[in-house]
Every structure is written in structure tokens, then in C-alpha cells.
């Protein structure tokens, strides 16, 4: 039956009910008429979801030293800002030592280069032995290699000195201190946890049956604890449903603002393909027990 035929029938039934109520001596109840339409609907299931941060990192020490400074919990850091500092005394001394070695190696190389030029000039006049010239040339090559090694070590020490300062890889808030100032931190030991509270997403574990029904770029409704609903865009559906759980990892980008990391939500996921059904407004239904 088409929606055009269903609507007059509904109106006629409501008119008959109004006449019956009027005949019983009661005033008629005001009603509204709405059309019954054929629409494509899919059955859905509400599953638990949680707001999480898209970017979160545990910043670790890259050299072994004692911590001099660690950012406070709750402190907001800009990208590139200092998150923690390690004691760099020995690293600075190492850089100074290698800088002095570089100067010494450079001076020796300069001397040997000049000596080589002088001996070549004397050799043309038959005033110098060829063996002495060969020795100087060999010493000059060795001096060049020694200078290259010293400069490589100097760059390595300078890099270690630079990495003694931990900087934020992205803008975020310090969520946890894993080491305190004064403690010893070995290479690779985590120092603090940084969380980006501006880039958020919703994460939910959904059954394997939704694969093929949910696609990236689509929209699904979110419902908060107060019952309010807002749309969310599907960012990814990670097919990692191996193991006994047989679940998929659903990631969504929520619309609007006001979301908090750890906030519990519910997301409606389809459980079957959409099909054509007769739909009426929700207010037209009266639900009560028999």
C-alpha cells in the first residue's frame, strides 16, 4: 500500500475515534496526522565506547644520567618545549675534549701538508730523498683519517648532549611523571607521559558481523550518559578480530566539542543490511504492557 493511501486511512480512523469520544460526553483529544512512509532502515545495536587521545607518548631518556628537571603533572607543553633535562656535565666535558683533539689533529694535518709541498719542491732539485717524501705523504693520509674520526666522535658527543634535553614531540599535557628530579634515568627509561587532549577519537570494540556494514567515512550516532546523541564519522575499522574475542576495533571522530578523555559513551552499529520498511514517527507509538 502506498504512503498516499495509508495517510487518508489513518486520518479517517482518527476522525472516527474523535466522534466516539465526543459521543461519550468527553471533549475530543487534539491529534495530529502524519504520513506513514517507506524508508530504508537497518537494525542496530548499542555498544560501549570510550573517548581516547589519538596521540599519547611516553618520553624516555636517550642517555644515562641523573634527572635535573621534569615537567609537572598537568603542565601544558607546546611542540618542541622542554619536557625534562638530564645532567649534561660529562657530556659537555666530552665535547670540550673532542674539540681540543680536533684542533690538534687539524694542526698536525696542516703541518704535514706544508711539509709535503716543501719536500716535493726539494725533490725536484734532487735535494731530498724520495723515501722521506713518501713517509710524509703516508703521515698526511693518516692525519686526515684521524681528523675525520675525531670530527665524527665530536658530532656524536654533540648529538648526545642535544638529546640530554627531552622535548615534546607534539603539543600536549603532562599526564604522569614516571621519574622524579634527582633520580637516575638509564637510556630508554620512561620519564613522563604526554597526552594530546585536543586530538580525540572514540574507540569501541564491535562484533565481526559489522564488517561490510560499517565503512570509513560513514557516520554513526553516539549517545552520552545523559542520553544526548551526536553524530560521529568513522575513521577506521581495524580488522584485528583474531583470537577468542572475535571483535573489531572501531575508531570514530566525534562531532563538536566538550569531549573528555575516558568519557563513557555508546555507539550504534548496524547488525544487518538496511531494508525497506514502513516507518511512523516515534511519538505515534504508545508502548505499554499488556
Amino acid at each position: 500500500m502506498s504512503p498516499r493511501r495509508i495517510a487518508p486511512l489513518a486520518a479517517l480512523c482518527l476522525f472516527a475515534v474523535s466522534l466516539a469520544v465526543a459521543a461519550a460526553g468527553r471533549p475530543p483529544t487534539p491529534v495530529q496526522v502524519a504520513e506513514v512512509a517507506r524508508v530504508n532502515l537497518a537494525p542496530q545495536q548499542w555498544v560501549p565506547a570510550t573517548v581516547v587521545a589519538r596521540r599519547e607518548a611516553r618520553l624516555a631518556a636517550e642517555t644515562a644520567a641523573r634527572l635535573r628537571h621534569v615537567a609537572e603533572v598537568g603542565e601544558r607543553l607546546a611542540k618542541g618545549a622542554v619536557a625534562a633535562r638530564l645532567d649534561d656535565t660529562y657530556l659537555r666535558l666530552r665535547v670540550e675534549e673532542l674539540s681540543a683533539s680536533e684542533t690538534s689533529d687539524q694542526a698536525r694535518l696542516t703541518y704535514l701538508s706544508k711539509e709535503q709541498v716543501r719536500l716535493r719542491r726539494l725533490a725536484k732539485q734532487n735535494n731530498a730523498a724520495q723515501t722521506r717524501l713518501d713517509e710524509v705523504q703516508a703521515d698526511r693520509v693518516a692525519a686526515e683519517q684521524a681528523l675525520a674520526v675525531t670530527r665524527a666522535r665530536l658530532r656524536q658527543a654533540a648529538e648526545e648532549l642535544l638529546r640530554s634535553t627531552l622535548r615534546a614531540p607534539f603539543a600536549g599535557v603532562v599526564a604522569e611523571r614516571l621519574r622524579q628530579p634527582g633520580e637516575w634515568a638509564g637510556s630508554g627509561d620512561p620519564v613522563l607521559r604526554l597526552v594530546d587532549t585536543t586530538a580525540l577519537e572514540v574507540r569501541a570494540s564491535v562484533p565481526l558481523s559489522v564488517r561490510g556494514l560499517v565503512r570509513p567515512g560513514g557516520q554513526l550516532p553516539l549517545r552520552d550518559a545523559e542520553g544526548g546523541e551526536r553524530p560521529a564519522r568513522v575513521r577506521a575499522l581495524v580488522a584485528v578480530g583474531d583470537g577468542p574475542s572475535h571483535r573489531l576495533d572501531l575508531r570514530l571522530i566525534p562531532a563538536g566539542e566538550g569531549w573528555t578523555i575516558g568519557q563513557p559513551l555508546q555507539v550504534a552499529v548496524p547488525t544487518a543490511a538496511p531494508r525497506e520498511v514502513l516507518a511512523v514517527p516515534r511519538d505515534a507509538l504508545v508502548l505499554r504492557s499488556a
Side-chain angles (χ1 to χ4, degrees):
M1 185 178 293
S2 66
R4 294 182 177 178
R5 294 182 179 179
I6 295 175
L9 179 59
L12 181 60
C13 294
L14 292 174
F15 180 70
V17 171
S18 298
L19 290 179
V21 173
R26 290 179 295 176
T29 303
V31 296
Q32 292 181 344
V33 178
E35 292 187 355
V36 178
R38 289 185 179 272
V39 296
N40 286 327
L41 291 179
Q44 61 185 19
Q45 173 188 2
W46 291 93
V47 298
T50 308
V51 179
V52 297
R54 293 188 62 184
R55 294 191 296 183
E56 179 177 340
R58 287 175 175 258
L59 304 187
E62 298 188 49
T63 59
R66 193 175 305 279
L67 286 165
R68 294 174 53 191
H69 166 74
V70 181
E72 294 284 351
V73 174
E75 184 176 348
R76 184 173 296 275
L77 302 177
K79 182 178 180 180
V82 175
R85 291 185 188 275
L86 296 164
D87 187 359
D88 58 358
T89 302
Y90 293 105
L91 294 176
R92 285 189 288 103
L93 293 175
R94 179 63 174 165
V95 170
E96 292 177 6
E97 176 187 0
L98 291 173
S99 296
S101 297
E102 181 189 22
T103 302
S104 176
D105 291 345
Q106 181 63 62
R108 175 170 174 75
L109 178 61
T110 301
Y111 165 75
L112 292 173
S113 299
K114 291 180 179 180
E115 184 69 8
Q116 182 181 6
V117 172
R118 187 181 68 85
L119 290 174
R120 282 178 179 175
R121 185 173 60 253
L122 294 176
K124 292 180 181 180
Q125 302 172 1
N126 296 322
N127 292 328
Q130 184 64 36
T131 55
R132 174 57 182 163
L133 178 60
D134 293 341
E135 289 177 0
V136 171
Q137 289 177 342
D139 290 343
R140 182 181 180 278
V141 172
E144 287 180 344
Q145 297 303 315
L147 179 60
V149 171
T150 301
R151 286 176 173 173
R153 291 175 177 173
L154 178 59
R155 289 194 299 269
Q156 181 181 359
E159 183 66 23
E160 291 180 357
L161 178 61
L162 181 65
R163 297 190 179 193
S164 65
T165 300
L166 277 66
R167 298 186 179 275
F170 51 82
V173 175
V174 178
E176 183 181 5
R177 262 183 169 184
L178 304 174
R179 291 285 190 280
Q180 299 295 328
E183 287 186 308
W184 180 268
S187 179
D189 289 345
V191 176
L192 59 83
R193 184 164 62 95
L194 185 68
V195 178
D196 185 357
T197 57
T198 60
L200 305 179
E201 67 180 6
V202 176
R203 181 178 183 180
S205 178
V206 298
L208 280 172
S209 58
V210 307
R211 187 170 55 184
L213 302 176
V214 175
R215 299 185 181 277
Q219 287 196 343
L220 295 176
L222 289 177
R223 185 165 62 191
D224 56 27
E226 289 73 26
E229 293 188 14
R230 280 193 276 181
R233 177 175 58 86
V234 178
R235 185 180 70 83
L237 183 64
V238 185
V240 290
D242 299 333
S245 62
H246 300 292
R247 311 285 289 184
L248 299 179
D249 189 13
L250 177 63
R251 300 296 182 103
L252 307 104
I253 305 298
E257 300 179 350
W259 305 99
T260 304
I261 296 177
Q263 179 180 355
L265 300 171
Q266 287 184 316
V267 57
V269 295
T271 58
R275 57 189 179 90
E276 189 179 70
V277 296
L278 290 176
V280 298
R282 180 183 300 178
D283 296 337
L285 300 177
V286 179
L287 301 178
R288 59 187 178 186
S289 57

